[in-house]
Amino acid sequence: MITGTQTRWQTELQQAVTDPADLLSMLALDPALLDGARAAARLFPLRVPRGFVARMRIGDPHDPLLRQVLPLNAETASAPGFTTDPVGDLPSAARPGLLHKYHGRALLVATGACAVHCRYCFRRHFPYGQENPRGGRWRDALDYIRADTTIAEVILSGGDPLSLTDRRLAELAAAIADIPHVRRLRIHTRQPVVLPSRIDDAFLDWFAPLPLRKVVVVHVNHASEIDAPVASACDKLKSAGATLLNQSVLLRGVNDSVNALAALSESLFAANVMPYYLHLLDRVAGAAHFDIPVSTALQLHTELQARLPGYLVPKLVREDAGAPSKTLVPAAVVE
């Protein structure tokens, strides 16, 4: 029961599963997985909302949603080429919590909090304590954006920016909207997918009238993540004036088949979300077991192009530290 001023989504967030033993028990999985899960969770804690767990198959350790969130002993092993800052976030920090990598847009790390801890997260080692622009530190970031008239788009990321309260988000969005040369606000969030109750009336009350072009980039990797509440949340965002895009990551054992990728694109489009990017894995320490060869990724993308209309085929990209944009992965690139 929700008490006081606490909203439904905040209650669900508080009730997220954080103990590997609880997750294994809820899904009737082999207890032998527990020691490895606890070892990995000491490096990067487990967090997953119970509503997301409810979409997983009972008794199946290979469930594609489970694989995204279950800590595994493989995360404790080092792998060549896998680092703590694979996309070059820290060298691009213009102010605490403000990343300026690409011309025309700047990214604000609005919070380090997230509703779900994806095991392949490229910011799993990010120093949120020193880079999170809490309180008055937003002022420095906003002053930087205000001074650079080439910045037409501000991106809210994290963590997950929707982990902030509506009051905090509304204040930040209003301050961004007051900067004359900023025309677009882009929000990268997993919450409409893992915690669809987050898109409630209180959120829409400030989001819908915002005087900026609004883009919401969700993160869905498998069609099974999209159920009726998720589709409803996406519909509300669209009705509030948002353009909805999806970025997914190509993950071994999750979506590394043409059938899975085609079903994902079809399910996204049915939920009013356009497939946008299919990322090669960012080589973050702890996630090597998700990696697949570039040649395999190219083959899958070619097969996807042959199966779907062009507007349902996401661009195959990777992020290279220091590059001026995302890098399209052409057919000529093989390992």
Side-chain angles (χ1 to χ4, degrees):
M1 176 181 293
I2 300 174
T3 59
T5 60
Q6 191 174 59
T7 63
R8 176 183 170 187
W9 72 267
Q10 288 172 320
T11 297
E12 291 180 4
L13 192 59
Q14 285 185 349
Q15 295 173 347
V17 180
T18 57
D19 186 338
D22 291 340
L23 183 60
L24 296 179
S25 176
M26 291 169 68
L27 295 171
L29 294 172
D30 188 348
L33 293 168
L34 184 57
D35 287 346
R38 282 181 168 160
R42 283 193 288 270
L43 300 175
F44 183 47
L46 167 69
R47 175 172 290 276
V48 55
R50 292 173 184 269
F52 195 68
V53 176
R55 295 172 229 167
M56 300 174 188
R57 294 190 294 261
I58 300 293
D60 183 1
H62 304 294
D63 179 86
L65 276 60
L66 173 68
R67 281 189 57 80
Q68 295 180 57
V69 302
L70 177 65
L72 295 175
N73 195 53
E75 297 176 37
T76 65
S78 61
F82 284 76
T83 67
T84 58
D85 185 17
V87 300
D89 273 346
L90 296 181
S92 68
R95 294 289 186 275
L98 183 73
L99 309 182
H100 195 184
K101 292 184 182 182
Y102 304 143
H103 178 79
R105 57 261 198 218
L107 184 149
L108 187 61
V109 181
T111 177
C114 200
V116 63
H117 288 176
C118 301
R119 309 313 300 177
Y120 52 87
C121 179
F122 68 93
R123 289 201 180 116
R124 57 182 288 167
H125 303 287
F126 190 80
Y128 289 107
Q130 67 190 53
E131 293 294 335
N132 187 6
R134 292 168 292 189
R137 294 173 67 183
W138 272 338
R139 189 176 301 110
D140 291 340
L142 293 171
D143 286 345
Y144 177 92
I145 295 168
R146 192 175 293 109
D148 188 340
T149 58
T150 68
I151 298 174
E153 178 173 281
V154 174
I155 303 163
L156 300 186
S157 185
D160 193 313
L162 267 60
S163 298
L164 296 175
T165 65
D166 288 305
R167 180 184 63 81
R168 297 276 286 163
L169 275 173
E171 289 174 354
L172 179 57
I176 293 169
D178 281 341
I179 301 174
H181 52 270
V182 174
R183 300 191 298 273
R184 296 182 300 275
L185 179 68
R186 191 194 326 170
I187 300 176
H188 283 241
T189 177
R190 191 97 154 100
Q191 289 209 14
V193 181
V194 302
L195 197 70
S197 60
R198 179 64 184 92
I199 310 304
D200 56 13
D201 290 344
F203 174 86
L204 298 170
D205 283 346
W206 68 264
F207 181 74
L210 195 65
L212 291 167
R213 295 298 300 268
K214 302 183 286 285
V215 180
V216 176
V217 182
V218 295
H219 179 177
V220 186
N221 294 315
H222 195 276
S224 296
E225 297 177 47
I226 303 175
D227 60 5
V230 172
S232 176
C234 291
D235 186 64
K236 291 175 183 177
L237 288 167
K238 182 182 179 184
S239 296
T243 297
L244 296 176
L245 305 174
N246 182 65
Q247 291 190 159
S248 54
V249 181
L250 192 53
L251 300 166
R252 180 185 298 275
V254 173
N255 56 11
D256 55 335
S257 73
V258 68
N259 288 337
L261 293 173
L264 172 59
S265 284
E266 295 280 10
S267 296
L268 285 167
F269 191 66
N272 294 310
V273 182
M274 290 300 299
Y276 179 47
Y277 277 155
L278 176 61
H279 277 266
L280 299 185
L281 179 73
D282 293 319
R283 295 194 159 194
V284 64
H289 56 292
F290 287 114
D291 201 21
I292 67 169
V294 175
S295 57
T296 301
L298 287 165
Q299 180 61 36
L300 288 171
H301 196 251
T302 299
E303 294 175 11
L304 195 62
Q305 288 177 306
R307 181 174 297 197
L308 295 177
Y311 59 87
L312 290 186
V313 180
K315 297 175 183 179
L316 182 64
V317 298
R318 68 170 180 248
E319 186 163 357
D320 296 323
S325 68
K326 296 288 177 71
T327 303
L328 290 173
V329 181
V333 177
V334 294
E335 288 186 335

